[in-house]
Coordinates of all heavy atoms in Angstrom, one line a residue:
V1 N -4.0 -28.9 -14.0 CA -3.5 -28.2 -15.2 C -4.2 -26.8 -15.2 O -3.6 -25.8 -15.5 CB -3.7 -28.9 -16.5 CG1 -3.4 -28.1 -17.7 CG2 -2.9 -30.2 -16.5
V2 N -5.5 -26.8 -15.0 CA -6.3 -25.5 -15.0 C -5.8 -24.6 -13.9 O -5.6 -23.4 -14.1 CB -7.8 -25.8 -14.9 CG1 -8.6 -24.6 -14.5 CG2 -8.4 -26.5 -16.1
A3 N -5.5 -25.1 -12.7 CA -5.0 -24.3 -11.6 C -3.7 -23.7 -12.0 O -3.4 -22.5 -11.7 CB -4.9 -25.2 -10.3
F4 N -2.8 -24.5 -12.7 CA -1.5 -23.9 -13.1 C -1.7 -22.8 -14.1 O -1.1 -21.8 -14.0 CB -0.7 -25.1 -13.7 CG 0.6 -24.6 -14.2 CD1 1.7 -24.2 -13.4 CD2 0.8 -24.6 -15.6 CE1 2.8 -23.7 -14.0 CE2 2.0 -24.1 -16.1 CZ 3.0 -23.7 -15.3
V5 N -2.6 -23.0 -15.0 CA -2.8 -22.0 -16.1 C -3.4 -20.8 -15.4 O -3.0 -19.7 -15.8 CB -3.8 -22.6 -17.2 CG1 -4.3 -21.5 -18.1 CG2 -3.1 -23.7 -18.0
M6 N -4.3 -20.9 -14.5 CA -4.8 -19.7 -13.8 C -3.7 -19.0 -13.0 O -3.8 -17.8 -12.9 CB -6.0 -20.2 -12.9 CG -7.2 -20.6 -13.6 SD -7.9 -19.4 -14.8 CE -8.4 -18.1 -13.7
N7 N -2.8 -19.7 -12.4 CA -1.7 -19.1 -11.7 C -0.9 -18.3 -12.7 O -0.3 -17.2 -12.5 CB -0.9 -20.1 -11.0 CG -1.5 -20.3 -9.6 OD1 -2.4 -19.6 -9.1 ND2 -1.0 -21.4 -9.0
V8 N -0.6 -19.0 -13.9 CA 0.2 -18.2 -14.9 C -0.5 -16.9 -15.4 O 0.2 -15.9 -15.4 CB 0.5 -19.1 -16.2 CG1 1.0 -18.4 -17.3 CG2 1.3 -20.3 -15.8
I9 N -1.8 -17.0 -15.6 CA -2.5 -15.8 -15.9 C -2.4 -14.8 -14.8 O -2.2 -13.5 -15.0 CB -4.0 -16.2 -16.3 CG1 -4.0 -16.9 -17.6 CG2 -4.9 -14.9 -16.4 CD1 -5.4 -17.6 -17.9
S10 N -2.7 -15.2 -13.5 CA -2.6 -14.3 -12.4 C -1.3 -13.7 -12.2 O -1.2 -12.4 -12.0 CB -3.0 -15.1 -11.1 OG -3.0 -14.2 -10.0
R11 N -0.3 -14.4 -12.4 CA 1.1 -13.8 -12.3 C 1.4 -12.9 -13.3 O 2.0 -11.8 -13.1 CB 2.1 -15.0 -12.3 CG 2.0 -15.8 -11.0 CD 2.8 -17.2 -11.2 NE 4.2 -17.1 -11.4 CZ 5.1 -17.2 -10.4 NH1 4.7 -17.5 -9.2 NH2 6.3 -17.0 -10.7
R12 N 0.9 -13.1 -14.5 CA 1.1 -12.1 -15.7 C 0.3 -10.9 -15.3 O 0.8 -9.8 -15.6 CB 0.5 -12.8 -17.0 CG 0.7 -12.0 -18.2 CD 0.4 -12.8 -19.4 NE 0.6 -11.9 -20.6 CZ -0.4 -11.4 -21.4 NH1 -1.7 -11.7 -21.1 NH2 -0.1 -10.7 -22.4
H13 N -0.9 -11.0 -14.8 CA -1.7 -9.8 -14.4 C -0.9 -9.0 -13.3 O -1.0 -7.8 -13.3 CB -3.0 -10.3 -13.9 CG -4.0 -10.7 -15.0 ND1 -5.2 -11.3 -14.8 CD2 -3.9 -10.7 -16.3 CE1 -5.8 -11.5 -15.9 NE2 -4.9 -11.2 -16.9
E14 N -0.3 -9.7 -12.4 CA 0.4 -9.0 -11.4 C 1.6 -8.2 -12.0 O 1.8 -7.0 -11.6 CB 1.0 -9.9 -10.3 CG -0.1 -10.6 -9.4 CD -1.0 -9.5 -8.7 OE1 -0.4 -8.6 -8.2 OE2 -2.2 -9.7 -8.8
F15 N 2.3 -8.8 -12.9 CA 3.4 -8.0 -13.5 C 2.9 -6.8 -14.4 O 3.4 -5.8 -14.3 CB 4.2 -8.9 -14.5 CG 5.1 -9.9 -13.8 CD1 5.0 -11.2 -14.1 CD2 6.1 -9.5 -12.9 CE1 5.9 -12.1 -13.4 CE2 6.9 -10.3 -12.3 CZ 6.9 -11.7 -12.5
Q16 N 1.7 -7.0 -15.0 CA 1.1 -5.9 -15.7 C 0.6 -4.8 -14.8 O 0.8 -3.6 -15.2 CB 0.0 -6.5 -16.6 CG 0.3 -7.3 -17.7 CD -0.8 -8.0 -18.5 OE1 -1.9 -8.0 -17.9 NE2 -0.6 -8.5 -19.6
A17 N 0.0 -5.1 -13.7 CA -0.4 -4.1 -12.7 C 0.8 -3.4 -12.1 O 0.7 -2.1 -11.9 CB -1.3 -4.8 -11.7
D18 N 1.8 -4.1 -11.9 CA 3.1 -3.4 -11.4 C 3.6 -2.5 -12.4 O 3.9 -1.3 -12.1 CB 4.2 -4.5 -11.1 CG 4.0 -5.3 -9.8 OD1 3.1 -4.9 -9.0 OD2 4.7 -6.2 -9.6
S19 N 3.6 -2.9 -13.7 CA 4.0 -2.0 -14.8 C 3.1 -0.8 -14.9 O 3.6 0.4 -15.1 CB 4.0 -2.8 -16.1 OG 4.4 -2.0 -17.2
Y20 N 1.8 -1.0 -14.7 CA 0.9 0.1 -14.7 C 1.2 1.1 -13.6 O 1.2 2.4 -13.9 CB -0.6 -0.4 -14.6 CG -1.6 0.7 -14.8 CD1 -1.9 1.2 -16.1 CD2 -2.2 1.4 -13.7 CE1 -2.8 2.2 -16.2 CE2 -3.1 2.3 -13.8 CZ -3.4 2.8 -15.1 OH -4.3 3.8 -15.3
A21 N 1.5 0.7 -12.4 CA 1.8 1.6 -11.3 C 3.1 2.3 -11.6 O 3.2 3.5 -11.3 CB 1.9 0.8 -10.0
K22 N 4.0 1.6 -12.3 CA 5.2 2.3 -12.6 C 5.0 3.4 -13.7 O 5.5 4.5 -13.6 CB 6.2 1.2 -13.3 CG 7.6 1.8 -13.6 CD 8.5 0.7 -14.2 CE 9.8 1.2 -14.7 NZ 10.6 0.2 -15.2
K23 N 4.1 3.1 -14.7 CA 3.7 4.2 -15.7 C 3.0 5.3 -15.1 O 3.1 6.5 -15.5 CB 2.8 3.5 -16.8 CG 3.5 2.7 -17.7 CD 2.5 2.0 -18.7 CE 3.3 1.0 -19.5 NZ 2.3 0.2 -20.3
L24 N 2.4 5.1 -13.9 CA 1.8 6.3 -13.2 C 2.8 7.1 -12.4 O 2.5 8.1 -11.9 CB 0.7 5.7 -12.2 CG -0.6 5.2 -12.8 CD1 -1.4 4.6 -11.6 CD2 -1.3 6.2 -13.6
G25 N 4.0 6.6 -12.4 CA 5.1 7.4 -11.8 C 5.5 6.9 -10.4 O 6.1 7.6 -9.6
F26 N 5.0 5.6 -10.1 CA 5.3 5.1 -8.8 C 6.2 3.9 -8.7 O 6.1 3.1 -7.9 CB 3.9 4.7 -8.1 CG 2.9 5.8 -7.9 CD1 1.8 6.0 -8.6 CD2 3.2 6.8 -6.9 CE1 1.0 7.0 -8.4 CE2 2.4 7.8 -6.7 CZ 1.3 8.0 -7.4
G27 N 7.1 3.8 -9.7 CA 8.0 2.7 -9.8 C 8.8 2.5 -8.5 O 8.8 1.4 -8.0
S28 N 9.5 3.5 -8.2 CA 10.5 3.3 -7.0 C 9.6 3.2 -5.7 O 10.1 2.4 -4.8 CB 11.4 4.5 -6.9 OG 10.7 5.7 -6.7

């Protein structure tokens, strides 16, 4: 269960980091 929760958090972080790169103007 802990491993699953950590994956959920990690995946959320990846989406957030992608969004941050997009905000920097590097979406495409």
Side-chain angles (χ1 to χ4, degrees):
V1 172
V2 169
F4 174 72
V5 169
M6 290 304 292
N7 276 348
V8 168
I9 291 168
S10 176
R11 290 163 66 97
R12 183 170 181 252
H13 286 173
E14 290 304 313
F15 286 125
Q16 290 172 345
D18 285 351
S19 177
Y20 184 80
K22 183 179 175 182
K23 286 178 189 172
L24 290 175
F26 296 110
S28 62

